[in-house]
Amino acid sequence: MLVDTFNRVHDYLRISITDACNFRCVYCMPEENITFLKQQYLMSNEEIFSLAKIFVDLGVTKIRLTGGEPLVRKDFGSIVSKLALLPIKIGITTNGLLLDNYLEDIKKADIVSINISLDSLRKEKFKTITQRDHFDQVMKNILLCIENNLYVKLNVVTLKGVNDSEIIDFVHLTKNLPIHVRFIEYMPFSGNNWDKDKVFSNQIALQTIENQFSLFKLVDEKNDTDKKFGIFGHAGTISFISTLTDTFCSTCNRLRITSDGKLKNCLFGKEEFDLITPLRNGENIVPIIVNAIVKKHEKLGGQFVDYTQVVASTLENRSMIKIGG
Ligand code: SAM
Ligand code: SF4
């Protein structure tokens, strides 16, 4: 088992399979000088499987594929079908654009739930946020997933003054659709123009919703990052991921591997542990993994305590697109 010095058991691994993306979300991708990794630096399908297998042997029970945009990888189908051989639950986080191409692979891999990012229900605003004109196709794919009995979780990053006015519209969406909408606070990363004044706190989001809807609390699992609610009379549900205003570090069970094969023990941590070079050299990487767990900080990668004090440009970290959500 992968237990850190704060007694947290790490059984959930998020693997970024590419740093490339077909969107340019303003809160994620740095505006300038973004270059994607050349093929030889990306983990191959076989390397992803080998790493996954090592982590499963160390107690990981759930693996999420992310990116960049995981579905831009041409071998996505093959990656997911190989991982399905392992005794794990597989998750995917995607912007949804290419989902129709991979639905069969996803179903064959026994994936039952999928996280799709959608920050606006308005075509024009979607375009402003993602800098791409793909709203209709993403919506179509969301509905396609629901029709195919996949449980869809919508990730909505709320940005003050940009899409906070749509919170109620997202709740309305759950009236007839059996989807789960998750409101996520805007987090600071390298090059994403973050400012504390752009954070729309989930406490205010909840109050805004409670003013119009009758909510009831749902049970949260021990390692859940979100606080879940049902809405009387609605087919779907909502939740709040309050990374900044109500941190959940004490129950963190997550590890991340970047698309260039570096292990990160925390989303906000600056420390990275190279796994791919030793793996390619045929070395035993277990001691490196164990060391990475031991070095995990208690909170927020040891980089800040209170988000209101954060100066984003002083944080030492990758951009979100290079970490993989
Ligand atoms: N491309 C895929 C997608 O958009 O779902 C997967 C990668 S993306 C980096 C993973 C998740 O991180 C998405 O839900 C995205 O909205 C979220 N995200 C990116 N930057 C963020 C930020 N600064 N604060 C909060 N969430 C962020
Ligand atoms: Fe791409 Fe996802 Fe980042 Fe948007 S949030 S730029 S879709 S990786």
Side-chain angles (χ1 to χ4, degrees):
M1 273 204 308
L2 295 168
V3 187
D4 74 357
T5 53
F6 303 95
N7 240 352
R8 296 175 291 201
V9 178
H10 293 76
D11 56 6
Y12 179 13
L13 176 67
R14 302 167 72 104
I15 306 180
S16 170
I17 60 173
T18 177
D19 65 340
C21 189
N22 40 12
F23 286 11
R24 296 286 181 273
C25 302
V26 288
Y27 55 77
C28 174
M29 195 183 275
E31 270 167 24
E32 284 155 21
N33 302 329
I34 181 88
T35 46
F36 299 128
L37 283 171
K38 293 209 174 77
Q39 187 71 28
Q40 75 257 37
Y41 300 112
L42 280 178
M43 294 183 287
S44 69
N45 182 353
E46 291 70 26
E47 288 165 345
I48 291 169
F49 182 78
S50 302
L51 285 174
K53 168 91 177 60
I54 292 167
F55 277 87
V56 170
D57 290 344
L58 290 169
V60 162
T61 56
K62 179 173 174 188
I63 292 182
R64 174 168 300 281
L65 298 179
T66 177
E69 171 49 38
L71 302 188
V72 300
R73 251 188 94 143
K74 299 272 182 292
D75 55 353
F76 177 81
S78 155
I79 291 172
V80 93
S81 64
K82 265 179 95 114
L83 288 179
L85 301 172
L86 297 171
I88 47 165
K89 198 169 155 193
I90 303 176
I92 302 169
T93 303
T94 169
N95 62 31
L97 182 67
L98 302 173
L99 266 173
D100 47 330
N101 298 340
Y102 291 108
L103 206 58
E104 286 315 309
D105 296 302
I106 288 170
K107 283 163 70 175
K108 263 194 224 143
D110 284 334
I111 295 173
V112 290
S113 163
I114 187 147
N115 292 8
I116 306 179
S117 302
L118 181 74
D119 306 306
S120 177
L121 295 169
R122 300 178 196 162
K123 205 174 155 122
E124 277 312 305
K125 197 176 287 174
F126 176 95
K127 194 170 157 190
T128 309
I129 295 173
T130 63
Q131 303 186 66
R132 291 292 182 272
D133 195 7
H134 294 312
F135 176 78
D136 290 337
Q137 185 59 35
V138 171
M139 266 322 272
K140 217 166 127 185
N141 282 344
I142 289 171
L143 297 174
L144 183 69
C145 286
I146 296 173
E147 276 163 29
N148 279 275
N149 297 319
L150 285 166
Y151 181 53
V152 174
K153 296 186 188 174
L154 279 195
N155 283 352
V156 183
V157 178
T158 36
L159 308 163
K160 198 187 270 180
V162 179
N163 62 350
D164 52 332
S165 55
E166 289 191 57
I167 287 174
I168 295 296
D169 296 345
F170 274 105
V171 181
H172 279 301
L173 195 69
T174 66
K175 172 82 181 144
N176 296 316
L177 288 179
I179 54 170
H180 180 68
V181 175
R182 315 196 306 167
F183 297 104
I184 303 175
E185 288 174 344
Y186 177 29
M187 298 181 278
F189 293 100
S190 176
N192 78 342
N193 274 319
W194 183 91
D195 187 293
K196 68 175 168 30
D197 296 331
K198 295 180 188 165
V199 174
F200 189 80
S201 101
N202 267 338
Q203 281 70 39
I204 301 188
L206 176 60
Q207 270 169 25
T208 311
I209 295 168
E210 279 183 324
N211 284 342
Q212 296 203 27
F213 297 91
S214 196
L215 304 185
F216 58 95
K217 188 73 194 76
L218 296 169
V219 177
D220 301 314
E221 300 296 326
K222 178 174 165 252
N223 298 114
D224 283 349
T225 53
D226 60 345
K227 299 228 163 29
K228 300 181 193 55
F229 293 84
I231 310 125
F232 284 103
H234 284 223
T237 48
I238 58 171
S239 68
F240 301 89
I241 304 185
S242 311
T243 318
L244 299 181
T245 61
D246 186 13
T247 53
F248 34 77
C249 302
S250 62
T251 55
C252 182
N253 63 341
R254 288 143 194 253
L255 295 168
R256 292 175 162 81
I257 299 180
T258 61
S259 55
D260 55 351
K262 310 288 189 294
L263 179 63
K264 279 180 82 74
N265 59 19
C266 172
L267 178 59
F268 293 110
K270 62 176 180 236
E271 295 87 5
E272 296 188 353
F273 302 82
D274 185 12
L275 299 182
I276 200 68
T277 312
L279 185 85
R280 285 178 180 171
N281 291 338
E283 293 163 32
N284 176 12
I285 62 165
V286 174
I288 303 172
I289 298 170
V290 171
N291 179 41
I293 307 285
V294 168
K295 296 250 167 71
K296 180 157 172 157
H297 293 269
E298 184 176 10
K299 279 183 91 172
L300 300 164
Q303 293 231 57
F304 59 96
V305 178
D306 175 356
Y307 82 96
T308 61
Q309 311 291 323
V310 169
V311 178
S313 56
T314 63
L315 290 179
E316 291 178 58
N317 201 354
R318 296 180 178 222
S319 58
M320 183 61 134
I321 194 154
K322 297 271 178 191
I323 302 171

